[in-house]
Amino acid sequence: MLFFASAPAGSGSGFFTVIYIAVIAAMFYFLFLRPNKKQKQERAALMNSLSVGDEIFTAGGILGSITRIKEHTVWVRISEKCEIELLKTSIGGRNTQREVPEPEIKE
């Protein structure tokens, strides 16, 4: 017969299980939930601070300037004679560069 030395079932192993679960929950919060909440706040601040004349880019890569703002949409001028209406949610951000740099071609 073999006898295995093991701790009795109620001798503190439950304490370490609770600590383990708490550490995993804290890691989940700090790695996933907190950064996501911060991104949502920054996005909401961007949407609320849009104004006529802002240079923006869309999620699809279109550059333009805002000409009109409605509740859920904006009108964006993308060329001299062309304006499009976009949902605010499709705005990727403000365009900080006035001109798009040309790609370098190496020969």
Side-chain angles (χ1 to χ4, degrees), residues 3-62:
F3 293 102
F4 295 101
S6 64
S11 69
S13 65
F15 175 73
F16 289 112
T17 303
V18 170
I19 295 296
Y20 180 72
I21 291 173
V23 168
I24 296 297
M27 287 175 47
F28 182 78
Y29 175 76
F30 284 108
L31 292 176
F32 298 109
L33 298 178
R34 191 168 181 231
N36 193 14
K37 184 178 178 181
K38 187 176 179 182
Q39 274 184 335
K40 283 183 181 180
Q41 288 175 344
E42 290 173 357
R43 183 99 173 123
L46 171 69
M47 293 300 127
N48 291 332
S49 69
L50 291 175
S51 63
V52 174
D54 285 350
E55 297 284 329
I56 60 158
F57 60 90
T58 67
I62 298 173

Side-chain angles (χ1 to χ4, degrees), residues 82-106:
C82 184
E83 284 188 13
I84 56 175
E85 186 175 15
L86 299 171
L87 292 172
K88 285 184 177 180
T89 56
S90 68
I91 295 174
R94 281 198 172 85
N95 187 13
T96 57
Q97 300 175 345
R98 290 292 178 198
E99 295 181 20
V100 178
E102 294 293 325
E104 295 180 17
I105 300 174
K106 296 181 180 180

Side-chain angles (χ1 to χ4, degrees), residues 53-75:
D54 285 350
E55 297 284 329
I56 60 158
F57 60 90
T58 67
I62 298 173
L63 300 172
S65 61
I66 297 175
T67 58
R68 288 182 274 174
I69 298 177
K70 293 184 179 179
E71 186 176 348
H72 299 289
T73 62
V74 293
W75 285 86

